[in-house]
Amino acid sequence: MCSGGCAKCLGIALIPLAILCILANTLLFFPGGKVAESNEHISNEVWYFGGILGSGVLMVFPALVFLGLKNNDCCGCCGNEKCGKRFAMFSSILFAAIGFVGAGYSFIISIVGIHNGPKCDIGSGNWTYAFNGGNYLGHPDIWSTCQAPKDIIPWNLTLFSLLLIMSAVQAVLCAIQAINGLIGTFCGDCKCSSCCGGEGPV
């Protein structure tokens, strides 16, 4: 597959992932699926906006750039038929790096969120982190320590796990585009042959 076509496929994959990450992070603001009575009842990691900013908004820009590479004007670099597409592919490497950083940020926040567990009421209105160092993950019998909100542990665990997986996929896709961009920068794109009238990649 030509580098521009490959980039378009990656962009198409990144858009729904970014939307899902924004949705997952937004749902974390509703502990156990309910409106929080106070901002203090929401885990600190949720306020870092890993899914909204890192894997969401910040990922939209690389995705749009990748989508536009396939239809980029191959001869658009000051009329030079050889450098237009290559410059576009080089610029995509920079956007891939931005996307990788955003996905990495969301990935790290998700790990911390899973490790720390959720804030919850452990009794008498005492809202705090009930668990220490992820010890709750393999011991569902101690989940009852959280008295409210109901089902807060599976809620947080599921959403942060989804963010973890999706941000990891985004990071891999951005890394693939960085490699694809390098190939397109040095070797050109086969679609440019028809655009510029050449016999092969430019």
Side-chain angles (χ1 to χ4, degrees):
M1 179 183 293
C2 298
S3 55
C6 177
K8 182 178 181 180
C9 291
L10 296 175
I12 291 174
L14 285 174
I15 290 292
L17 284 173
I19 294 173
L20 289 173
C21 285
I22 292 174
L23 178 60
N25 199 152
T26 301
L27 289 174
L28 283 167
F29 282 100
F30 301 89
K34 300 178 181 179
V35 178
E37 296 179 2
S38 170
N39 290 341
E40 297 298 323
H41 297 174
I42 299 174
S43 300
N44 296 336
E45 294 76 21
V46 179
W47 292 103
Y48 297 153
F49 300 107
I52 294 176
L53 294 180
S55 290
V57 175
L58 200 59
M59 195 60 62
V60 171
F61 299 105
L64 293 178
V65 170
F66 300 166
L67 285 172
L69 286 175
K70 183 174 177 62
N71 298 322
N72 185 70
D73 182 5
C74 303
C75 308
C77 184
C78 302
N80 189 316
E81 66 180 29
K82 291 188 176 181
C83 78
K85 192 69 172 184
R86 294 186 181 190
F87 180 79
M89 294 304 295
F90 175 76
S91 66
S92 77
I93 299 174
L94 303 179
F95 281 94
I98 293 173
F100 187 86
V101 170
Y105 174 72
S106 179
F107 185 84
I108 293 172
I109 296 300
S110 299
I111 290 178
V112 174
I114 292 172
H115 181 264
N116 291 342
K119 273 187 177 180
C120 62
D121 183 1
I122 60 174
S124 303
N126 183 15
W127 287 80
T128 185
Y129 287 98
F131 308 107
N132 181 28
N135 62 338
Y136 72 99
L137 293 174
H139 301 87
D141 53 298
I142 65 174
W143 289 8
S144 59
T145 303
C146 283
Q147 298 181 13
K150 185 180 179 181
D151 299 324
I152 182 59
I153 297 175
W155 180 267
N156 262 39
L157 191 57
T158 298
L159 291 173
F160 271 123
S161 295
L162 288 173
L163 281 173
L164 183 73
I165 294 170
M166 291 188 290
S167 60
V169 172
Q170 288 177 327
V172 170
L173 294 179
C174 287
I176 292 175
Q177 176 51 32
I179 297 172
N180 181 51
L182 280 174
I183 296 174
T185 299
F186 290 106
C187 302
D189 192 293
C190 63
K191 294 298 182 183
C192 288
S193 59
S194 59
C195 171
C196 300
E199 296 298 328
V202 294

